[in-house]
Amino acid sequence: MSCPKLPEIAVISDAHVHDPLADFGWPGALATGGLSVRPLSEAARSTRVFNETKGAFLAALDEVVSRGIRHVVLLGDYTDDGQVATTGCVAALLDRYRQAHGLHFYALPGNHDVFADHGRHRTKRFLRADGASEVVTSDPQRDGAGLPLTVSPAMFCPGQPDGLRAMAEHGYFGAPGAVYWETPFGTDADPEARSYEVRSRSGATLRRLMDASYLVEPEEGLWLVMIDANVFVPIDGSEAFEDSTSAGWNALLKHKAFLLSWIADLTARANASGKRLVVFSHYPVLDPLDGTREEEMALIGPTETTGRIPQAEVGAALMAAGVQLHLSGHLHVNDTACLHAYGRSLVNVAVPSLGGFPAAIKILSFEDSTIAVETVGFDDLPLDPAIMALYEAERRRSGFEAAALTSAKTHGAFLSAHLGHIAWRRHLKREWPAALAALLRAASLGDLFRLACSPADIPLDSAVAALPGLRLERGLTVTLTREEEHLLAEIDGIVLLGDWYRLRMGSGLGVRHVGPARMALYRRLAQALRDANRQPGSAQAALRQMFDLLERFADGLPSENFVLDLETGEISAR
């Protein structure tokens, strides 16, 4: 299909902007230079960081400007938690870049930006200058649990449409300067014209909500289909709704099926009129973790992440609607997934978060029959010394230690350390089987090599006790140099688990952070574990599953810089 030269599109997902200079109305900010900084101890328990996100977002926008790109998709979760003050700060930043640099933004909502129709209260802690915390909440009924408490309407997270109004000109209610704009309901931007019915699980409760989806043609020939994939299901007997976090497209197929009909109509119209069409939503439509959902569940059981993976019906529905390329966020992963069936193909490009490892954005470039995807990282950004000073005050006051984070000098190092910290302190505790977690806490990589090379199957439940009696059977399955053996002793379970998650979240970007020396040893251990048939329930069998997944994460489809051939569905690195 020959088409006019189409503009490049920058895609930013899950920026989770928290502006430390936002006014939340709490008195402690008077002594911090106006800074509202979230405690590091809270970030160390979360899947994302907080105070570093505004700097990363500004760096991403500056990168877009430096490349001469004019169109930017915000793939949801552009705010910390949808707070009135935060959304206002994001909108002000976008307006500034629009006026100064001519950028055009097209936003869609994530699960952190709005909540249903009526919104919900938010409560956060901020650091005082002395390292203690104060609580700021929008809920007048909230108790401070012994901490100083400020009630501020600036902390409230509105619903739709109110929570979208500050971003009105960034796609939700039209797109100034665009060639064309419509919604699934027509060309009327009024929220009343864009409502749909949603029922509770029992069917007894019926509510009407606004859908914020829209199509925008920023320049002649390019259609960007922006899908509001948030699904808020009413709860019987109350005014409350189910949270959308784990719903995504699995729930959309049931509760917002009208969107599939609209998408199918758009793809048919695009094909008939020679338009290039790309679909965006906050939630993935294919498994973005290299198709490993079932294998991961077999190893460690259901997790927060596996519960958010779309079912096979989602990809089939999008493919039937004629979609070839979909970009998603939500899971904070950098990855590429592809489905081929019935002579068609569907590709899901997962865009990572600026507030989690690995921090990056995507750039789309269009040719006649291909779309090129470039990944741009932000590892080298410096950290804000004023924020780091408050973290140090927190450490002195509370005794909270996270040396790998507080010693980091760059955004990339901070995020890598953060992921390693939550892998060890959060995921291992909450999600991993007790016996396997105990083995990872006790073993070095060298110990795991000795387990792999042991001729006997060792029950996982007794593997820790067996470690002191193991020795490396040279020549049995693997030969190591003395230098490698020394490195094996230095790599403990903390490093290994952090690397496992870096590869899970970052794919090719994770491989670069892990580095060639550790990757080579992980691959050799994976091979050693494959060299013998092991009984289910043995430590070796569990480790084989773990390292098979590690290699799947590392060796999936190209996820950094690649080209999608729209005629064949093939993906090739570039």
Side-chain angles (χ1 to χ4, degrees):
M1 177 180 70
S2 180
C3 59
K5 180 64 177 177
L6 299 177
E8 289 186 313
I9 303 294
V11 185
I12 302 175
S13 189
D14 295 84
H16 284 291
V17 173
H18 165 65
D19 186 354
L21 291 173
D23 183 7
F24 291 99
W26 67 293
L30 296 175
T32 62
L35 293 177
S36 295
V37 171
R38 303 275 299 277
L40 182 60
S41 55
E42 289 191 348
R45 296 191 297 270
S46 172
T47 55
R48 57 188 172 94
V49 302
F50 305 125
N51 307 300
E52 294 71 26
T53 53
K54 180 186 176 184
F57 186 57
L58 291 175
L61 296 182
D62 288 341
E63 177 70 20
V64 169
V65 169
S66 73
R67 289 168 172 256
I69 298 172
R70 298 178 59 246
H71 302 288
V72 183
V73 168
L74 300 180
L75 209 49
D77 282 1
Y78 42 81
T79 67
D80 170 45
D81 252 342
Q83 304 97 322
V84 170
T86 302
T87 304
C89 288
V90 172
L93 289 175
L94 303 187
D95 290 343
R96 189 175 91 197
Y97 275 81
R98 179 180 58 184
Q99 294 170 12
H101 304 290
L103 297 189
H104 298 273
F105 297 95
Y106 313 103
L108 51 79
N111 55 298
H112 283 269
D113 299 316
V114 290
F115 187 80
D117 57 350
H118 57 277
R120 60 180 169 184
H121 290 295
R122 297 294 195 191
T123 301
K124 307 295 179 186
R125 286 197 301 138
F126 295 124
L127 288 175
R128 296 193 324 214
D130 64 359
S133 294
E134 293 190 18
V135 175
V136 182
T137 183
S138 59
D139 185 357
Q141 306 302 317
R142 184 69 179 246
D143 182 87
L147 296 175
L149 179 73
T150 298
V151 177
S152 170
M155 189 59 74
F156 186 71
C157 171
Q160 292 181 186
D162 289 348
L164 307 178
R165 296 192 189 280
M167 304 278 287
E169 294 188 355
H170 304 304
Y172 287 130
F173 298 99
V179 176
Y180 182 69
W181 183 94
E182 72 170 62
T183 81
F185 310 94
T187 56
D188 188 347
D190 191 288
E192 291 297 322
R194 302 163 69 182
S195 67
Y196 68 100
E197 294 183 345
V198 58
R199 289 188 178 272
S200 60
R201 290 177 183 264
S202 71
T205 302
L206 175 67
R207 302 285 290 274
R208 292 196 71 87
L209 296 175
M210 174 192 171
D211 175 78
S213 303
Y214 60 93
L215 161 72
V216 62
E217 185 173 9
E219 295 188 27
E220 182 68 39
L222 179 62
W223 279 12
L224 308 182
V225 182
M226 311 293 288
I227 299 298
D228 172 9
N230 281 338
V231 177
F232 301 103
V233 177
I235 298 173
D236 288 334
S238 77
E239 294 296 310
F241 288 82
E242 296 180 18
D243 193 283
S244 64
T245 301
S246 296
W249 281 87
N250 292 332
L252 184 148
L253 294 187
K254 177 181 179 181
H255 296 287
K256 299 175 79 170
F258 65 89
L259 288 175
L260 271 299
S261 300
W262 181 58
I263 293 169
D265 176 65
L266 291 179
T267 60
R269 288 159 52 194
N271 290 335
S273 57
K275 309 288 187 182
R276 180 64 51 81
L277 180 147
V278 182
V279 179
F280 303 84
S281 79
H282 184 60
Y283 303 89
V285 299
L286 299 175
D287 181 353
L289 295 175
D290 301 288
T292 59
R293 179 178 183 270
E294 298 304 320
E295 291 86 346
E296 184 170 315
M297 290 179 66
L299 174 65
I300 60 178
T303 66
E304 285 183 358
T305 299
T306 58
R308 299 172 184 178
I309 300 297
Q311 301 295 329
E313 292 81 3
V314 172
L318 267 292
M319 184 179 288
V323 177
Q324 291 180 286
L325 177 61
H326 175 270
L327 282 85
S328 66
H330 190 46
L331 297 184
H332 298 188
V333 300
N334 174 70
D335 214 337
T336 308
C338 186
L339 175 65
H340 295 283
Y342 309 110
R344 296 183 177 184
S345 63
L346 169 66
V347 172
N348 188 97
V349 174
V351 184
S353 168
L354 291 176
F357 178 90
I361 66 173
K362 302 286 184 178
I363 307 294
L364 303 183
S365 304
F366 302 88
E367 297 297 338
D368 282 353
S369 62
T370 63
I371 299 177
V373 179
E374 180 184 359
T375 303
V376 181
F378 297 93
D379 284 350
D380 296 332
L381 302 179
L383 298 173
D384 187 325
I387 292 173
M388 299 302 287
L390 284 170
Y391 291 161
E392 173 59 21
E394 178 189 10
R395 185 197 66 78
R396 290 195 306 267
R397 177 90 179 203
S398 68
F400 172 75
E401 293 285 354
L405 281 82
T406 54
S407 64
K409 303 300 182 186
T410 64
H411 190 58
F414 188 83
L415 294 180
S416 181
H418 174 261
L419 181 57
H421 185 94
I422 63 170
W424 194 247
R425 300 287 186 177
R426 173 177 167 141
H427 298 315
L428 191 68
K429 288 181 177 180
R430 294 185 183 183
E431 300 175 344
W432 287 66
L436 183 53
L439 177 59
L440 293 175
R441 291 188 183 99
S444 67
L445 199 64
D447 292 327
L448 301 187
F449 260 99
R450 286 184 278 276
L451 271 172
C453 295
S454 172
D457 287 350
I458 297 174
L460 181 57
D461 288 342
S462 57
V464 173
L467 290 179
L470 295 175
R471 62 189 183 90
L472 190 63
E473 299 288 343
R474 292 185 177 278
L476 180 63
T477 57
V478 64
T479 301
L480 299 170
T481 66
R482 295 295 180 186
E483 290 77 14
E484 288 172 325
E485 288 188 31
H486 180 72
L487 184 57
L488 288 178
E490 292 184 342
I491 300 175
D492 58 14
I494 297 177
V495 175
L496 167 60
L497 191 69
D499 285 345
W500 194 87
Y501 277 96
R502 289 179 186 99
L503 296 169
R504 181 179 184 256
M505 303 301 288
S507 298
L509 295 177
V511 169
R512 287 205 267 124
H513 272 264
V514 171
R518 294 208 300 270
M519 276 304 307
L521 287 175
Y522 294 154
R523 292 189 185 279
R524 295 186 71 181
L525 179 50
Q527 184 60 53
L529 289 162
R530 285 193 294 267
D531 282 346
N533 292 322
R534 300 294 188 173
Q535 291 296 314
S538 68
Q540 293 96 330
L543 289 170
R544 175 174 176 172
Q545 288 178 288
M546 180 181 180
F547 278 84
D548 281 350
L549 281 168
L550 182 148
E551 289 198 304
R552 289 274 298 278
F553 299 150
D555 298 334
L557 290 169
S559 61
E560 294 183 71
N561 304 313
F562 56 92
V563 175
L564 167 62
D565 189 316
L566 296 171
E567 295 180 350
T568 65
E570 296 301 314
I571 298 170
S572 56
R574 67 181 181 98

